[in-house]
Amino acid sequence: MNLNIKSKKNNTFDAIVVGSGMSGGFAAKELTERGLKVLMIERGHEIKHIEGYDTAMKQPWEIEHRGKTSNISAEERWANSRFWGLGSEEVVNHLTNDKKNPYIEKRAFDWIRAYHTGGKSMHWGRQSYRWGKHDFEANAKEGIGIDWPIRYEDLEPWYTHVEKFVGISGQKEGLEVLPDGHFLPAMPLFAPEAHFKNKMMERFNRPVTVGRVANLTQPQDIHTSLGRASCQYRNKCQRGCPYGGYYSSLSGSIPAAMRTNRLSILHDSIVAEIIYDEQKKRASGVKIINQNTMQTEEYFAKIIFLNAGSINTAALMLNSKSNRFQNGFGNDSDQVGRNLMDHQLGSGATASIEGFEDDYVYGQRPNAMYIPRFRNWGNDKQTAYLRGFGYQGGASREGWSRGVGADGFGADFKQGLTKPGAWTISIGGFGEILPDPNNRIYLDPEKKDQWGIPMIVTDAAFVENDWAMRKDIIASAVEMLETAGFKNVTPYDRPTHMGLGIHDMGTARMGRDPKTSVLNAFNQVHNCKNVFVTDGAAMTSASCVNPSITYMALTARAADYAVKALKKKDL
Amino acid sequence: MNRREVIKNVALMLGGAFSAPTLMAMDNWESSTKPNTNGAAFNLTSTQQKIVAEIAELIIPKTDTVGAKDVGVPAFIEMMLKDCYKAPEHQSFMEGLASMEKVKFLELNTDERRGVLKLLEQETKKITSKTTPFWRLVKELTLLGYFTSEAGLKASFEYVQIPGKLELIKLKPNQKAYAY
Ligand SMILES: Cc1cc2nc3c(=O)[nH]c(=O)nc-3n(C[C@H](O)[C@H](O)[C@H](O)COP(=O)(O)OP(=O)(O)OC[C@H]3O[C@@H](n4cnc5c(N)ncnc54)[C@H](O)[C@@H]3O)c2cc1C
Ligand code: SF4
């Protein structure tokens, strides 16, 4: 056997999954469990579940700058540190060094990245909501963007499949706007939140529920068999959880794929290009560059899943040019990189609460309160904007930091701060952003990164619909907190850009027509069916609920389809 | 304005009557003494360090539990300013220290020092600049440094590293807050 053929054989798998994050992890699990030999390729360094969580057990005094962002972190993580708390030493080293991995902001975009095993699934807020029927229908009804090629019913069984595996704590509410899922026991609302919930129902007929969150309140066999244990209520999930109390690819999907003995993982390997076989009219594999040694290598497979995160997936497609795809892989429609969406974040209101002095909490709830969308829903019709928003937030008792803004110092002051302070509450909106082809990423025609790969340019911003919605997010938050009888109601509106929602999506959308979309109803690239895109890039619209379980459900559905098609020799 | 006038102000204030000229404003008259601060070169003289330590200790004094000095707050403040703040805050901090030096803070007795800090606290409220004023910086960093230090945290709160459960409870009289 000649050397080339031999190495080609060693480098050949049934499937390649690009990216080890939320959606890539799930792809690897589903494909290996269906018997495929899978190579998962991750551009970042390896983090091992449990032993890699170097800050998880650190005590407050062991965190050098005690949660504040140091100047060095702010400089190195110039994009990541724009998000609350991500500049802290608790997590900062697990987020991408933006200085070494810069992107070009034609229009500012808060791009939050985590290049390592598990991707952003290690740091996510774990809020998990199903989309509603309306979310799949709105584009067609309103003539926005293009229609989804699937409906809620197509995804419904896959939501259940994902929820069972992930483990989501939540309260069934029987709401059409926020379909119930398969839940573990719900976490409690705190006393002032329960009061708020009653008032909102009484005065506005608006339901409020406790957050649906991927933390194990009561682990099932499916979780414990992977070594995952009950949540210990430390609320330090972003550091990684040594108990596997919350779901991430590290605690869930990767171990599940590993135990099939069919998963191999390559770290430090940037997938730079998809290799297209012009004769077979199929993608044959990928080309990688080792991020440390610069060495390149090719890997081959029958099918390829792209799960690099919506922006990187689009960039990879755009960088993969061939005779057939001169405009970028699968990009006949010119939609790759376009329709970049997110959820707008950073506005809402806060208030102080009188009373409930006797109510306190033991443990830290890694969760919040959720107010489902009520705008442009039912009888509500807004003239200033389309779609709607949900609120996340909650009540808590003030800690010692209330002393900073208060008058006083000395012995009594010191003594007073050792007691729980008054209750306060804060709610913030997550608003739906519409697909707009002018909101996009593309590759810079000249500038390259340190590996010689063209640099990514972000060119997206909020439009009128978003600003009008934002005004209402703030006004409605104020109205609701005042109606609940809370005091010192204060609106907030943090200057932000797109991206801060960390729900970037839409850059290779699904659709029925290859002329206007990139993927079909099973996430296959229209014009190269053995490549599947199942991260946020696939999204045709954005809803206003957190998207990750939808990415996972799409992934599981596509993987099931892909394996069946392979068996039927359709691929 | 000289030291006697400042002390007169402080005395007036302690007697309940607020008077106009402020420590801050006073400082602005003498721009010649403005410290030169550019980012990286943030360093305190030993006198300045002593002032910071005394202020921190007045904010969180040693009582039946440890105080700011016991748990290393003064050095923490300096480290934090260096590592996490930039020129505008450095400037603001140095200006604050300069006015403390001007009133010969270290030569005042404890009551007088408290008086100066009370005045400072009130005057700080009038400052509209976007840069965090001196008083807010020392106060915030003192509280942060103290309540997150091992001894300060354990002395002040009920430290629970691994709660293991989540429970709605009723507060008992005089119950301390939990820290996690
Ligand atoms: C602080 C925070 C809070 C969040 N809260 C929530 C929440 O409450 N609910 C929710 O639903 N979502 C939340 N999210 C978003 C959630 O993390 C993402 O939706 C999810 O991780 C996206 O999955 P993904 O697989 O597309 O990308 P990622 O999880 O980011 O994974 C992509 C992986 O691909 C790798 N990669 C990229 N490019 C390449 C390449 N060229 N070659 C090889 N590998 C590559 C990356 O290194 C990474 O590991 C949050 C995110 C953060 C950071
Ligand atoms: S809150 Fe639960 S899941 Fe999160 S870190 Fe703590 S124990 Fe782990």
Side-chain angles (χ1 to χ4, degrees):
Chain A
M1 214 190 273
N2 103 13
L3 209 68
N4 253 334
I5 297 173
K6 197 168 157 195
S7 88
K8 182 155 185 185
K9 196 167 166 233
N10 285 340
N11 285 1
T12 300
F13 297 78
D14 295 326
I16 286 172
V17 173
V18 180
S20 67
M22 193 80 77
S23 62
F26 225 89
K29 164 188 156 2
E30 297 293 315
L31 295 170
T32 53
E33 286 180 349
R34 284 170 175 74
L36 266 52
K37 237 181 90 202
V38 174
L39 175 69
M40 174 190 265
I41 309 179
E42 167 55 50
R43 70 176 294 155
H45 59 278
E46 177 170 17
I47 290 187
K48 286 203 166 80
H49 179 46
I50 304 178
E51 54 190 280
Y53 306 148
D54 53 348
T55 60
M57 285 315 209
K58 284 214 155 118
Q59 325 236 29
W61 51 90
E62 294 171 325
I63 305 286
E64 192 186 0
H65 297 103
R66 312 285 165 91
K68 282 206 190 289
T69 303
S70 72
N71 294 334
I72 293 176
S73 295
E75 193 193 327
E76 287 178 347
R77 268 79 180 173
W78 54 259
N80 282 307
S81 60
R82 291 178 191 169
F83 192 87
W84 301 266
L86 294 186
S88 158
E89 278 116 14
E90 294 170 71
V91 288
V92 74
N93 290 327
H94 293 149
L95 292 152
T96 302
N97 185 320
D98 300 306
K99 207 173 162 188
K100 291 190 181 147
N101 298 271
Y103 58 97
I104 299 165
E105 297 181 285
K106 176 154 184 240
R107 287 186 282 172
F109 187 91
D110 303 330
W111 194 13
I112 309 302
R113 291 175 292 173
Y115 289 170
H116 55 66
T117 326
K120 294 195 295 287
S121 78
M122 181 173 160
H123 314 292
W124 69 316
R126 308 162 310 284
Q127 293 292 309
S128 301
Y129 304 95
R130 289 186 179 199
W131 278 33
K133 292 184 177 164
H134 54 284
D135 288 317
F136 293 93
E137 293 163 5
N139 274 8
K141 272 192 190 150
E142 294 163 359
I144 299 292
I146 57 167
D147 188 16
W148 276 87
I150 58 169
R151 289 291 179 263
Y152 178 74
E153 290 71 19
D154 296 304
L155 218 48
E156 205 279 325
W158 297 103
Y159 272 131
T160 308
H161 174 76
V162 167
E163 287 159 351
K164 280 185 180 159
F165 180 74
V166 165
I168 290 163
S169 147
Q171 181 71 52
K172 289 201 178 187
E173 300 281 1
L175 305 171
E176 198 184 333
V177 73
L178 195 75
D180 290 331
H182 181 90
F183 294 143
L184 301 175
M187 293 178 193
L189 286 177
F190 300 154
E193 295 169 345
H195 160 87
F196 178 76
K197 175 186 165 108
N198 292 337
K199 279 272 182 269
M200 291 308 103
M201 193 38 94
E202 205 178 289
R203 298 289 300 275
F204 298 113
N205 197 26
R206 276 178 206 163
V208 173
T209 189
V210 69
R212 296 173 176 176
V213 70
N215 289 64
L216 298 178
T217 49
Q218 201 179 88
Q220 309 294 306
D221 290 347
I222 195 172
H223 310 120
T224 52
S225 69
L226 287 167
R228 298 186 57 199
S230 179
C231 175
Q232 305 293 309
Y233 303 99
R234 310 168 63 225
N235 195 22
K236 303 198 191 302
C237 313
Q238 286 188 333
R239 303 181 184 182
C241 178
Y243 308 95
Y246 77 93
Y247 178 84
S248 68
S249 300
L250 291 149
S251 68
S253 55
I254 295 175
M258 275 307 205
R259 73 180 165 190
T260 66
N261 284 322
R262 285 187 282 268
L263 178 67
S264 312
I265 310 182
L266 258 178
H267 283 100
D268 300 306
S269 304
I270 305 168
V271 175
E273 276 173 56
I274 300 156
I275 307 164
Y276 185 70
D277 185 328
E278 309 268 354
Q279 260 113 53
K280 292 189 181 141
K281 298 194 164 51
R282 284 285 180 267
S284 58
V286 297
K287 185 179 129 192
I288 66 115
I289 303 175
N290 183 294
Q291 70 159 340
N292 303 317
T293 65
M294 296 291 287
Q295 255 170 2
T296 62
E297 182 89 52
E298 296 185 345
Y299 293 90
F300 307 93
K302 291 174 210 149
I303 55 170
I304 301 172
F305 269 64
L306 302 185
N307 300 95
S310 58
I311 293 175
N312 273 313
T313 287
L316 168 60
M317 294 174 83
L318 291 173
N319 196 40
S320 304
K321 292 184 176 155
S322 54
N323 240 341
R324 166 66 185 83
F325 295 115
Q326 305 203 356
N327 196 23
F329 181 81
N331 194 22
D332 295 356
S333 63
D334 189 35
Q335 295 303 311
V336 175
R338 294 189 183 273
N339 309 300
L340 176 59
M341 298 173 282
D342 184 29
H343 292 142
Q344 64 160 313
L345 197 63
S347 67
T350 61
S352 51
I353 299 175
E354 286 172 1
F356 305 98
E357 287 95 351
D358 291 347
D359 290 295
Y360 198 35
V361 182
Y362 176 86
Q364 299 213 89
R365 186 182 65 186
N367 192 11
M369 179 177 80
Y370 191 74
I371 306 169
R373 170 174 165 186
F374 52 83
R375 286 305 190 210
N376 290 317
W377 181 259
N379 294 327
D380 184 86
K381 185 82 201 91
Q382 297 296 310
T383 49
Y385 63 90
L386 294 169
R387 315 277 166 105
F389 53 87
Y391 287 110
Q392 292 173 32
S396 57
R397 291 194 79 143
E398 288 180 308
W400 58 260
S401 63
R402 67 185 183 275
V404 175
D407 272 1
F409 53 87
D412 293 345
F413 174 77
K414 171 190 177 193
Q415 170 69 12
L417 291 180
T418 65
K419 305 286 177 329
W423 285 95
T424 58
I425 188 165
S426 168
I427 57 175
F430 279 71
E432 178 162 0
I433 290 177
L434 302 173
D436 177 343
N438 296 319
N439 280 337
R440 62 186 291 219
I441 66 107
Y442 57 89
L443 301 181
D444 191 276
E446 274 132 42
K447 297 201 185 82
K448 304 243 157 97
D449 67 14
Q450 54 171 312
W451 301 280
I453 302 170
M455 282 180 73
I456 293 171
V457 183
T458 63
D459 184 11
F462 296 149
V463 296
E464 224 176 292
N465 199 70
D466 308 311
W467 295 118
M469 187 188 291
R470 200 171 180 90
K471 252 174 132 175
D472 189 26
I473 288 175
I474 297 168
S476 298
V478 168
E479 184 187 31
M480 289 166 81
L481 295 179
E482 279 176 348
T483 302
F486 300 148
K487 299 285 168 338
N488 304 316
V489 176
T490 311
Y492 72 85
D493 185 4
R494 179 194 148 155
T496 99
H497 314 114
M498 241 166 115
L500 199 75
I502 325 189
H503 298 156
D504 44 282
M505 57 175 113
T507 46
R509 68 185 176 192
M510 294 168 77
R512 294 196 184 86
D513 184 352
K515 286 202 206 69
T516 57
S517 60
V518 184
L519 311 173
N520 70 13
F522 283 101
N523 299 73
Q524 291 171 289
V525 172
H526 281 301
N527 297 312
C528 185
K529 297 262 185 320
N530 72 330
V531 175
F532 294 77
V533 177
T534 69
D535 57 18
M539 307 298 274
T540 312
S541 66
S543 175
C544 68
V545 302
N546 308 59
S548 298
I549 63 160
T550 300
Y551 301 168
M552 289 188 267
L554 284 171
T555 301
R557 179 173 172 270
D560 178 67
Y561 176 86
V563 175
K564 283 179 181 148
L566 270 181
K567 285 189 180 143
K568 282 192 283 182
K569 304 236 179 316
D570 280 354
L571 275 178
Chain B
M1 188 162 65
N2 61 31
R3 177 173 169 239
R4 269 184 50 215
E5 286 179 71
V6 172
I7 293 178
K8 205 172 86 197
N9 275 337
V10 169
L12 272 171
M13 189 200 62
L14 286 173
F18 279 88
S19 82
T22 74
L23 292 168
M24 291 297 175
M26 171 188 80
D27 202 59
N28 290 340
W29 299 340
E30 292 174 57
S31 50
S32 57
T33 63
K34 253 200 184 139
N36 168 26
T37 48
N38 51 25
F42 177 82
N43 274 308
L44 300 183
T45 64
S46 63
T47 307
Q48 289 169 328
Q49 283 172 337
K50 271 190 204 127
I51 294 174
V52 170
E54 293 310 319
I55 295 178
E57 187 67 19
L58 281 169
I59 296 172
I60 300 289
K62 184 188 187 85
T63 51
D64 53 341
T65 57
V66 286
K69 281 197 217 165
D70 293 328
V71 303
V73 165
F76 174 81
I77 294 178
E78 195 173 345
M79 179 277 287
M80 288 295 287
L81 282 163
K82 225 180 251 169
D83 289 3
C84 301
Y85 293 84
K86 299 215 167 90
E89 281 80 19
H90 292 168
Q91 175 93 16
S92 145
F93 195 82
M94 288 313 228
E95 281 172 12
L97 278 180
S99 33
M100 291 298 120
E101 285 187 88
K102 219 164 293 150
V103 302
K104 302 231 168 10
F105 188 77
L106 292 175
E107 289 170 28
L108 304 178
N109 67 33
T110 307
D111 272 353
E112 289 168 331
R113 287 177 184 180
R114 283 206 192 100
V116 170
L117 294 193
K118 278 198 182 150
L119 182 63
L120 189 59
E121 181 163 86
Q122 293 311 315
E123 294 304 328
T124 299
K125 291 181 185 164
K126 298 178 192 158
I127 298 174
T128 52
S129 140
K130 272 208 317 215
T131 308
T132 316
F134 171 70
W135 172 245
R136 282 291 285 254
L137 285 168
V138 237
K139 195 169 179 188
E140 177 178 348
L141 291 174
T142 299
L143 299 188
L144 178 65
Y146 180 77
F147 287 115
T148 61
S149 70
E150 179 166 11
L153 184 151
K154 287 181 175 166
S156 311
F157 309 117
E158 195 175 330
Y159 181 48
V160 188
Q161 206 189 355
I162 302 162
K165 61 180 180 185
L166 179 69
E167 237 172 41
L168 306 186
I169 57 169
K170 290 289 170 191
L171 201 62
K172 294 188 216 77
N174 263 325
Q175 186 178 337
K176 286 179 182 172
Y178 293 114
Y180 300 95

